[in-house]
Amino acid sequence: MALDIVIMAAGKGTRMKSSLPKVLHKLAGRSLLQHVLDTAVGLGADRIVTITGHGAEQVEAAVQAAHLQFVRQMPQLGTGHAAQQAVPALHAEGTTLILNGDVPLITAHTARALIEACGGKKLALLTIELADPTGYGRIVRQGDAVRAIVEHKDATPEQRQICEIYTGMMAVPTVALKRWLSQLKNDNVQGEYYLTDIVAMAVADGTPVVAAQPKGEAEVLGVNSPLQLADLERRHQHALAERFMEDGVRLADPARFDVRGELRCGIDVEIDINCIFEGQVHLGHGVRIGASCVIRNAQIADNVVIHPFTHIDGDTQGVKVGAGSMIGPFARLRPGAELAEEVHIGNFVEVKNSTLAKGAKANHLAYLGDATVGERVNYGAGSITANYDGANKHRTVIGNDVHVGSNSVLIAPVTLGDGATIGGGSTISKNVAAGDLAVARGKQMAISGWARPVKKR
Ligand code: UD1
Ligand code: CA
């Protein structure tokens, strides 16, 4: 049986007070609409029809999913009118699930329950009881049977006492949906075509109407304002934090932990407060991460210690940190940084597109860009690779056991042979042979009996 999913995303989102269409605002690093699309794909939708309107071009360019198509709704004359635009794109039969582009946390579990409750035969509504139902469509029942949904603005004072509300999500037999949508009228307080009017039509037709409930409230909360967006973000992050802690990850504070992508953790991982994980991050066994680190697209091997305020950004190339390495505090690892085992990167050290072999150390105030660094190298404080000549980038190759004295400039392309030593303060522009000492700086002079200037009276 075909499963079509219609996602409503044409609304303006005035209360966001933003030039960005509402459904493109981000939660946990993904747009609201992309969350819904990813869930839709997970449900095995044969077609996903997204209804766009406000900022349609921007929305259509920003999201992706398998079997996705867009239908435009201009102007926006209500949720029923929106659903009407999707009709030509739907299969002839099967089930249509209606979701909202601004309700990002709906789970596949709940959506599946709704689809099953529909079974291609019944109208299944997702409803929930709210302490404050103001503004929502109310579920009007007679005995246990659902009779209608009445919008808040159209409701009588008695109906406004009803706390069971329609969440905006339903599963409908596609054949019946098409028939009902063709009969909608806009004779209501708002002069809109209400999708919710199909409930009374189903009742009139003798089609059973059933209701399912989500596990938690967060699943059905929509985003209309920055405040609601932040509230959902925190609820989502808290749920993630709980899952990690259930798997044994030790978070110093689940309220100060953010995952904006996919984080995988080994056993005995400890994460201090205010850390952000973005993109694909893998932390091996026994990894410890200090406070306020930002880590994006990186693989951190077993027993690595990352001290506070470290920024690791693998971007598209990735960053790899080998087992037992120590990074930070205040270190910066950029795309293409690949560290072998037991590498030490200290404070204010930046590494980009460079490999460091086992046991190499750069402990203070240094830059390594486009460099190949051998085992046990000691890269002195204040040293840099001058890898860019203003037009092209060049490589610096540093052999095993090289000592680079403090405040050296290595002008690439240049190679330092195994065991070479660079005198502190040198500017190295020629290759250095294995085992040699290279010193390239002004010679020290001494002027004996030097008298300092004195101030004129
Ligand atoms: C709707 C329901 C209401 C329910 C509430 C849950 C109707 C008539 N009412 O309320 O019973 O309690 O959702 O949040 O359906 N949209 C379009 N085109 C339009 C109008 C809306 O695409 O012409 C989209 C919006 O972008 C949004 C969704 O439909 O994603 C819901 O619209 P919104 O205006 O928030 O819902 P209400 O009509 O207030
Ligand atoms: Ca709404």
Side-chain angles (χ1 to χ4, degrees):
M1 198 172 62
L3 173 63
D4 294 340
I5 299 185
V6 173
I7 302 175
M8 311 268 210
K12 191 166 182 190
T14 313
R15 280 190 282 156
M16 287 303 289
K17 298 188 180 166
S18 168
S19 55
L20 189 68
K22 177 167 80 172
V23 293
L24 294 187
H25 282 270
K26 286 191 173 162
L27 181 131
R30 258 185 305 163
S31 71
L32 300 176
L33 179 55
Q34 192 64 54
H35 278 270
V36 182
L37 288 169
D38 291 347
T39 303
V41 169
L43 291 168
D46 297 296
R47 276 180 203 160
I48 302 175
V49 184
T50 297
I51 300 161
T52 59
H54 280 282
E57 278 179 24
Q58 210 179 339
V59 172
E60 289 165 16
V63 297
Q64 38 204 274
H67 312 298
L68 172 62
Q69 47 184 299
F70 296 100
V71 170
R72 290 199 185 173
Q73 185 202 14
M74 314 261 200
Q76 285 90 44
L77 304 178
T79 53
H81 179 250
Q84 283 169 349
Q85 313 310 306
V87 164
L90 303 179
H91 280 91
E93 51 196 5
T95 297
T96 297
L97 173 69
I98 296 180
L99 301 176
N100 280 292
D102 60 358
V103 182
L105 299 184
I106 182 66
T107 62
H109 181 269
T110 296
R112 239 176 246 127
L114 206 55
I115 294 164
E116 270 166 35
C118 166
K121 293 192 182 67
K122 300 177 189 170
L123 172 53
L125 306 173
L126 190 66
T127 73
I128 191 170
E129 300 239 354
L130 292 183
D132 178 12
T134 309
Y136 290 98
R138 305 301 207 283
I139 305 298
V140 178
R141 290 177 183 258
Q142 206 171 53
D144 275 349
V146 175
R147 303 301 296 182
I149 297 176
V150 178
E151 290 307 301
H152 180 90
K153 284 180 182 159
D154 299 290
T156 64
E158 292 74 43
Q159 287 170 332
R160 287 186 182 178
Q161 301 299 309
I162 299 170
C163 289
E164 187 187 4
I165 62 103
Y166 170 55
T167 60
M169 293 173 264
M170 60 167 84
V172 198
T174 304
V175 174
L177 176 67
K178 291 181 181 180
R179 185 173 69 244
W180 295 329
L181 287 176
S182 71
Q183 296 165 19
L184 286 181
K185 296 197 180 69
N186 64 348
D187 50 359
N188 51 55
V189 170
Q190 304 187 75
E192 286 183 6
Y193 294 92
Y194 291 166
L195 174 60
T196 45
D197 283 352
I198 71 170
V199 177
M201 293 179 187
V203 171
D205 271 8
T207 304
V209 181
V210 293
Q213 281 77 39
K215 270 195 182 159
E217 190 188 61
E219 283 192 60
V220 299
L221 292 179
V223 172
N224 296 298
S225 66
L227 192 71
Q228 289 174 343
L229 179 60
D231 173 50
L232 267 202
E233 176 82 40
R234 287 336 306 162
R235 288 174 189 245
H236 178 61
Q237 293 298 344
H238 207 275
L240 287 178
E242 275 181 3
R243 244 180 279 156
F244 281 107
M245 291 187 294
E246 274 160 19
D247 288 345
V249 175
R250 295 191 287 277
L251 299 179
D253 182 359
R256 286 176 289 174
F257 168 73
D258 284 86
V259 178
R260 301 172 188 164
E262 199 185 324
L263 173 66
R264 289 185 300 130
C265 294
I267 56 168
D268 282 318
V269 166
E270 287 183 18
I271 301 173
D272 210 332
I273 60 167
N274 288 339
C275 292
I276 300 175
F277 300 90
E278 296 181 303
Q280 304 286 319
V281 177
H282 180 230
L283 306 179
H285 302 308
V287 168
R288 285 189 287 142
I289 301 188
S292 300
C293 291
V294 177
I295 303 181
R296 174 169 177 255
N297 293 337
Q299 290 182 45
I300 314 294
D302 296 350
N303 303 312
V304 167
V305 178
I306 298 179
H307 292 291
F309 300 101
T310 291
H311 188 211
I312 297 177
D313 183 2
D315 197 24
T316 53
Q317 270 176 280
V319 163
K320 284 185 184 159
V321 178
S325 292
M326 286 180 15
I327 314 296
F330 300 101
R332 181 167 184 216
L333 303 183
R334 294 177 55 203
E338 287 195 21
L339 318 185
E341 302 81 43
E342 289 155 39
V343 167
H344 292 189
I345 299 293
N347 43 209
F348 308 107
V349 175
E350 173 183 349
V351 181
K352 197 214 149 198
N353 196 31
S354 295
T355 60
L356 280 77
K358 186 174 178 181
K361 293 183 173 65
N363 275 326
H364 329 265
L365 302 161
Y367 174 58
L368 280 162
D370 302 305
T372 304
V373 179
E375 294 185 3
R376 297 171 299 277
V377 163
N378 196 326
Y379 193 75
S383 293
I384 65 161
T385 52
N387 55 325
Y388 185 54
D389 61 14
N392 297 298
K393 298 225 167 131
H394 303 281
R395 275 202 94 74
T396 300
V397 179
I398 304 177
N400 295 333
D401 301 297
V402 168
H403 278 222
V404 177
S406 297
N407 204 30
S408 297
V409 179
L410 308 178
I411 301 178
V414 71
T415 298
L416 313 183
D418 290 348
T421 303
I422 307 300
S426 291
T427 296
I428 300 294
S429 54
K430 294 185 200 132
N431 292 347
V432 178
D436 281 8
L437 165 67
V439 186
R441 61 179 184 230
K443 277 205 171 146
Q444 187 166 329
M445 310 192 305
I447 297 174
S448 303
W450 170 253
R452 287 191 205 149
V454 286
K455 202 168 181 114
K456 285 184 185 146
R457 306 213 93 221

